Amino acid sequence: MADWLDKVKRNPSARWIGVALIAAALATLPIVAGEVGGRGWVRIVDFALLYVMLALGLNIVVGFAGLLDLGYIAFYAVGAYTYALLASPHFGLHLPIWLVLPLGAGMAGVFGLLLGAPTLKLRGDYLAIVTLGFGEIIRIFLNNLNAPVNITNGPQGVNRIDPISFGGFMLAKPLDVLGFSVPSVHLYYYLFLMLALLVIVVSLRLENSRIGRAWVAIREDEVAAKAMGINTRNIKLLAFAMGASFGGISGGLFAGFQGFVSPESFILMESIVVLCMVVLGGMGHIPGVILGAVLLAAMPEVFRNTIVPVQRQLFGKIVFDPEVVRMLLYGFALVLVMLFRPSGIWPSTTRKRELAS
Amino acid sequence: MLEVRGLHVHYGGIAAVKGVDLEVASGELVCLIGANGAGKTTTLGAIAALVSPSAGEITLGGERTAGLASFQLVRRGLALVPEGRGVFGRLNVRENLEMGAYHRSDREIGHDLEKVFALMPRLQERCYQTGGTLSGGEQQMLAIGRALMSRPKLLLLDEPSMGLAPLMVQKVFETIQAVARDGVTILLVEQNARLALELAGRGYVMEGGCITLAGQSAALLADSRVREAYLGE
C-alpha cells in the first residue's frame, strides 16, 4: 500500500487529483451519510471530527514529545466549560464565538502549563500517574464548584448554551441554499471540518519545524537533547500548552454543538479513549492518528446502528447490546493491534523499520 | 578555557564529588581517569549544568557559569558527548547531525556537515540509516560528530570507549585526536587509563569524588600508583 502511495505522492498531477478527490469526498460526506443513514450518522461524523482534533492534540504531547498524559480530557473540559460559562444564560453572558473559542483554547493552554510546570522532571509511569490525577482534579472541581459560589453549576452541568453562530448566521438552523435546505448537523460538519483541517495543518507544520525536532529529540533522549542546546523546560511546556489548546478548541466546539455540558462527559475513560486513538493509529504519525480517531469514534456508533437492527430482524429482540461491551471491544481491538501491528495501524516509515529490524 | 574550583555535588545525602579542582587551557587535550563511581560523569554533568553543584565555582571562557542552564552553555561553545552516546535512535544519521546544530542559524551548517562527513566517512555511507541501527562504534562517532556540529570551543567526552571492540576504540581515539588537532579544546573522561593518557597531554586521576593525582601524561604513565591501580601492572 505504501508503494503506490509513494508513487502517487511523487507524481504531481496524480497528487493534485488525489487532493481533489479527497476534497470532493470530504465535501459530500455529510450528504452521502445523511442520505444513507440519516442525520444520526452525520452527527457521528461531527463527533469523529472533534475526536480527530483531540487525538492530534494528544499526539503532540504523547507522540512527538513522548510525555505520557492520561488526563488529557481535562483540557477538553476546560475548553467546553469556558464556552459554556461565557455563552449561556448561566452567567447571562453571551460572548460571540470568535471570542469564546480562542479564549477556550487559551485557557486550556494555561491549564496545560499548570500541569506541565510541576511535572517537568517526571517521565513515564510517574508522569502518567500525575496527569491522571490532574484530569480527575479538573473533573471533580467542575463537579463541586457550585457552592459556596455557583460557578460551574455542579453535577447538573450548564445547559441552554448558545449554539454556534457567526453574526446573525446560526448553525443551529437549517440554511437555505438555492432552494435546498442544508440541515444544522451538516453546517456543523463543515465548521468542524474546517477547524480539523486547521489543526492538521498546524500539526504538520509543527512536526517539520525546529520545535517539532526538539520534541522528538526530548522523546528520544532528554539528556542528549539538553546537550544539543535545547531548552528542554520551555519546549516541554510548549508541548503541554499546544496539545492542550487543541483540546480546548475541540471542547469549545463540543459545548456549542451539544448545547449542554456536565462533568460526566469528561471522565477518565474519555482520556483513555483518546489515548487509544493515538496509540492504535500510530503514535507520532499524523495520518495514523487521524485514522485511529475516526475508527474509534465511528466504530461503536456503527455497531449500534447495525448490530441492533440486525438482531431485531433476526430474533425480534435485542439479544446482545454492543454498548455494554464497548470497552471490551476497545480492549480487544487494542490487543489485536498491539499483537499484529505493534507500532499502530498506520505508523510512520521510520517507526515501522525500527520495529521490523 | 575551563576552570573548576572546589566543586561539590550531592545526590540527596550522598556526596558524589567532594571538592574537585581542575583546569583546561585553550587548545589542550586533558583527560580525567578513574574507576567506576569515582565521580567523573558527575563532574562532567556539573560542568555542562546537567546536575547542579552544591558548592564550588565553574568558569568557562572567563565567565562564571553558575545560574546558566545547559542550553545557554551550548551557545557559549560547550558541547557534551554524553555517557552511553545518547544518539537519537529514531532519527537518521543526517537528522542526528542536524540536531547538533540546533542552536545555530548561520549558513555554514551545510559546510560543517561536509566537514564531519570528511572526518567520519562511515557516517556519510549511513546517512539515511536511523541512529538506532548503527553499530556501537558508529554511534559513538555519530555522537562526536553531532557535538562538533555545534562548533564547540570546549568538547566534553564521557567514556567514548565504553562498550566498544578494541579496534573500534582505536578508531574513535584517532578521531578524537584529529578533532583536537583541529583546535578544539577537549576534556576526556575515561576508564581506559592507558589509552586516555597516551592521547592526552595532561591528566587528572579521580578517586572517591576527589582528584588524587594530576600531572603530565608521561609522568602519570610512569607513576607507580597509576601503574598499579589503573594500568594493571
Side-chain angles (χ1 to χ4, degrees):
Chain A
M1 188 179 113
D3 286 346
W4 68 258
L5 244 177
D6 277 348
K7 255 178 225 157
V8 170
K9 270 186 198 159
R10 249 177 261 135
N11 183 335
S13 60
R15 207 180 157 150
W16 281 113
I17 293 170
V19 169
L21 280 176
I22 292 170
L26 286 174
T28 51
L29 180 65
I31 300 162
V32 174
E35 282 304 315
V36 175
R39 300 241 170 104
W41 285 55
V42 185
R43 217 180 137 75
I44 294 168
V45 176
D46 288 358
F47 268 104
L49 285 172
L50 291 180
Y51 276 114
V52 166
M53 288 181 239
L54 274 177
L56 284 172
L58 184 61
N59 183 49
I60 289 184
V61 186
V62 179
F64 291 167
L67 305 161
L68 185 51
D69 184 349
L70 288 183
Y72 183 70
I73 210 70
F75 307 123
Y76 188 56
V78 169
Y81 266 88
T82 305
Y83 189 109
L85 297 179
L86 296 179
S88 74
H90 181 60
F91 285 142
L93 289 169
H94 297 281
L95 300 182
I97 176 152
W98 52 263
L99 203 64
V100 210
L101 210 53
L103 261 176
M107 276 300 278
V110 169
F111 275 84
L113 292 179
L114 275 181
L115 170 64
T119 56
L120 278 170
K121 291 198 169 160
L122 302 180
R123 280 193 82 81
D125 334 9
Y126 302 98
L127 180 63
I129 292 293
V130 176
T131 53
L132 189 152
F134 176 82
E136 285 299 280
I137 288 169
I138 298 288
R139 186 181 62 81
I140 290 164
F141 260 91
L142 295 174
N143 223 348
N144 294 296
L145 275 181
N146 54 346
V149 187
N150 186 2
I151 300 172
T152 63
N153 210 23
Q156 283 93 31
V158 181
N159 53 26
R160 301 208 334 263
I161 298 169
D162 299 353
I164 296 174
S165 66
F166 296 93
F169 175 53
M170 303 269 281
L171 261 65
K173 285 188 189 132
L175 174 73
D176 282 314
V177 186
L178 305 170
F180 291 100
S181 167
V182 184
S184 163
V185 272
H186 289 46
L187 297 176
Y188 274 108
Y189 168 81
Y190 291 115
L191 174 69
F192 290 3
L193 181 65
M194 231 108 77
L195 284 160
L197 286 175
L198 178 75
V199 165
I200 291 170
V201 169
V202 172
S203 279
L204 285 168
R205 301 286 300 184
L206 278 172
E207 188 183 23
N208 296 314
S209 71
R210 226 172 107 79
I211 295 166
R213 280 183 296 137
W215 282 333
V216 171
I218 290 173
R219 179 188 75 200
E220 299 289 299
D221 191 318
E222 197 168 338
V223 173
K226 271 189 189 171
M228 294 303 97
I230 294 169
N231 185 341
T232 51
R233 186 195 61 196
N234 287 3
I235 292 285
K236 274 167 108 173
L237 285 177
L238 190 64
F240 274 114
M242 286 295 303
S245 66
F246 286 10
I249 294 175
S250 186
L253 295 172
F254 168 74
F257 181 47
Q258 284 282 76
F260 168 71
V261 292
S262 78
E264 243 174 85
S265 306
F266 311 108
I267 52 173
L268 173 64
M269 213 58 233
E270 286 292 315
S271 288
I272 292 172
V273 166
V274 180
L275 186 65
C276 280
M277 291 170 174
V278 175
V279 175
L280 269 180
M283 236 193 291
H285 190 228
I286 293 166
V289 171
I290 297 170
L291 179 69
V294 171
L295 279 182
L296 281 194
M299 261 329 161
E301 311 297 333
V302 170
F303 280 140
R304 203 197 332 248
N305 285 307
T306 53
I307 291 179
V308 172
V310 165
Q311 289 182 58
R312 273 221 186 87
Q313 288 271 312
L314 285 179
F315 313 112
K317 60 177 177 168
I318 300 165
V319 181
F320 159 82
D321 181 3
E323 191 56 29
V324 180
V325 292
R326 180 173 170 177
M327 281 305 145
L328 188 70
L329 291 175
Y330 270 24
F332 194 56
L334 202 61
V335 169
L336 282 182
V337 169
M338 288 300 115
L339 275 178
F340 297 107
R341 293 191 73 89
S343 46
I345 299 172
W346 191 357
S348 64
T349 39
T350 34
R351 186 104 175 83
K352 211 163 46 194
R353 231 185 292 139
E354 175 195 322
L355 276 155
S357 64
Chain B
M1 172 68 66
L2 174 74
E3 218 183 292
V4 177
R5 289 277 161 263
L7 180 72
H8 286 259
V9 183
H10 291 260
Y11 290 122
I14 301 154
V17 174
K18 311 163 188 164
V20 162
D21 296 300
L22 61 82
E23 54 194 80
V24 182
S26 196
E28 250 191 325
L29 201 177
V30 175
C31 70
L32 177 61
I33 58 175
N36 246 343
K40 308 183 300 293
T41 296
T42 306
T43 305
L44 276 199
I47 295 170
L50 295 175
V51 294
S52 42
S54 38
E57 193 174 288
I58 299 166
T59 324
L60 182 72
E63 184 188 5
R64 289 185 54 181
T65 65
L68 292 176
S70 46
F71 73 93
Q72 290 166 313
L73 292 175
V74 175
R75 285 181 201 156
R76 284 164 174 77
L78 181 95
L80 167 74
V81 177
E83 189 180 20
R85 308 170 193 115
V87 161
F88 301 124
R90 266 182 248 168
L91 301 184
N92 67 30
V93 167
R94 200 195 163 93
E95 288 164 338
N96 262 284
L97 291 172
E98 283 168 352
M99 280 311 300
Y102 179 82
H103 72 104
R104 291 171 56 185
S105 53
D106 54 284
R107 279 149 187 239
E108 289 181 25
I109 294 172
H111 172 251
D112 285 2
L113 199 63
E114 299 289 311
K115 254 174 80 180
V116 169
F117 282 146
L119 190 67
M120 310 167 186
R122 197 50 179 265
L123 291 185
Q124 187 155 30
E125 289 166 28
R126 315 246 148 167
C127 195
Y128 294 105
Q129 212 171 310
T130 50
T133 61
L134 301 180
S135 76
E138 288 164 347
Q139 285 191 7
Q140 188 61 57
M141 292 289 200
L142 178 56
I144 295 172
R146 191 180 58 181
L148 291 177
M149 288 299 291
S150 73
R151 283 210 170 171
K153 293 186 193 112
L154 174 65
L155 181 61
L156 308 177
L157 293 166
D158 199 351
E159 296 221 19
S161 76
M162 191 163 85
L164 300 186
L167 207 69
M168 213 55 232
V169 173
Q170 203 62 46
K171 270 197 164 159
V172 168
F173 272 64
E174 279 164 21
T175 308
I176 296 170
Q177 194 163 29
V179 172
R181 240 185 272 127
D182 223 30
V184 179
T185 310
I186 296 177
L187 176 59
L188 168 69
V189 160
E190 257 300 336
Q191 275 197 62
N192 191 330
R194 182 186 299 277
L195 267 175
L197 286 171
E198 279 168 1
L199 188 69
R202 275 194 312 119
Y204 292 92
V205 180
M206 200 165 175
E207 220 170 280
C210 305
I211 302 278
T212 49
L213 274 173
Q216 296 296 317
S217 291
L220 286 176
L221 276 168
D223 191 288
S224 61
R225 285 166 294 179
V226 174
R227 296 182 78 93
E228 203 177 304
Y230 300 105
L231 304 178
E233 289 174 15

